[in-house]
Amino acid sequence: MQHQARAQGPQLRTRRPPGPGRLAAAGVLLVLLACGGGAEEGNPAGGTPAGEGAAGAGPAAARAPLEALALDEALGRIESLAAEGPLVVNLWATWCGPCMEELPFFAAADADPAFEGVAFLGLNGDHAVPDAAPLEERLERIRGEAGATGIRFPSLYLLTEDLQAVAEALDLPTAVFPQTLLYRGGRRVRLHEDAFAGPEDLAAWLREGLAD
């Protein structure tokens, strides 16, 4: 499902530092536009209103597990989990409207008894957009925004601004978010290069991949 960015630009909710940070932001803008950073009217970030997040959700709000890792460490984590059983890896970011819209679909699949024994893991690309906030503050905000979508499975915050390097490391055809990978028997068996249309769409994709 393709989403067109709004005229005023993607929903970044970030601060861009002056100088070299602007060059990095310009590079990631192509990815933001491709993923449709501006979500549909009335739902700017998949259920998390603009301006809200970890700070505005309240102390009792759910937080989704999020750990910051270098790319090579994240690849090692994926390899380890994939060797243990079926694994779903979803590439997402809070600046990607379609990513946030489909996270509840993954929450539903993770809770579905039909997929018991399937592990779910997120790969978060927020580091690709410059932000002057301290890392732990940024991680806590992302935990809150992800938690608001209902997901409870862990995500890895990739400590790299180079999304193309992420795509190459995962053998993906593009660096566009979102994308979803399914691993079985320690190897990748399916790739979905766009957002899912709904929870039924994701569930059908998983059933097909697990039955192959």
Side-chain angles (χ1 to χ4, degrees):
M1 179 185 299
Q2 296 295 325
H3 292 249
Q4 183 178 1
R6 292 182 181 178
Q8 67 266 33
Q11 299 287 329
L12 299 180
R13 291 195 297 281
T14 186
R15 293 175 295 281
R16 298 182 181 179
R22 293 186 180 276
L23 297 179
V28 78
L29 181 58
L30 297 176
V31 177
L32 298 179
L33 293 176
C35 94
E40 295 176 356
E41 291 291 340
N43 189 13
T48 304
E52 293 188 8
R63 299 286 192 269
L66 181 67
E67 179 182 2
L69 288 181
L71 178 56
D72 59 344
E73 294 177 302
L75 294 175
R77 183 71 59 85
I78 291 172
E79 182 179 0
S80 176
L81 290 172
E84 297 175 2
L87 172 67
V88 177
V89 177
N90 175 246
L91 278 68
W92 67 278
T94 61
W95 43 253
C96 172
C99 297
M100 300 303 290
E101 290 171 5
E102 73 170 0
L103 282 183
F105 310 158
F106 286 90
D110 183 37
D112 190 335
F115 302 121
E116 184 177 0
V118 178
F120 289 78
L121 178 70
L123 290 185
N124 177 270
D126 271 56
H127 199 70
V129 176
D131 193 323
L135 177 60
E136 187 52 45
E137 178 181 319
R138 190 174 198 188
L139 292 176
E140 188 62 12
R141 175 184 60 79
I142 297 169
R143 291 181 185 116
E145 292 194 39
T149 71
I151 67 169
R152 297 296 178 264
F153 55 81
S155 289
L156 304 179
Y157 177 95
L158 300 176
L159 291 169
T160 178
E161 298 178 0
D162 189 351
L163 296 184
Q164 186 59 44
V166 174
E168 292 174 1
L170 293 171
D171 194 24
L172 302 177
T174 69
V176 173
F177 279 41
Q179 296 193 58
T180 304
L181 304 83
L182 175 62
Y183 292 84
R184 286 181 60 202
R187 64 184 183 88
R188 193 178 84 194
V189 296
R190 299 206 84 184
L191 170 65
H192 193 276
E193 298 181 56
D194 206 342
F196 288 94
E200 298 83 5
D201 186 26
L202 171 58
W205 184 83
L206 289 174
R207 285 193 296 268
E208 292 172 4
L210 294 170
D212 289 342

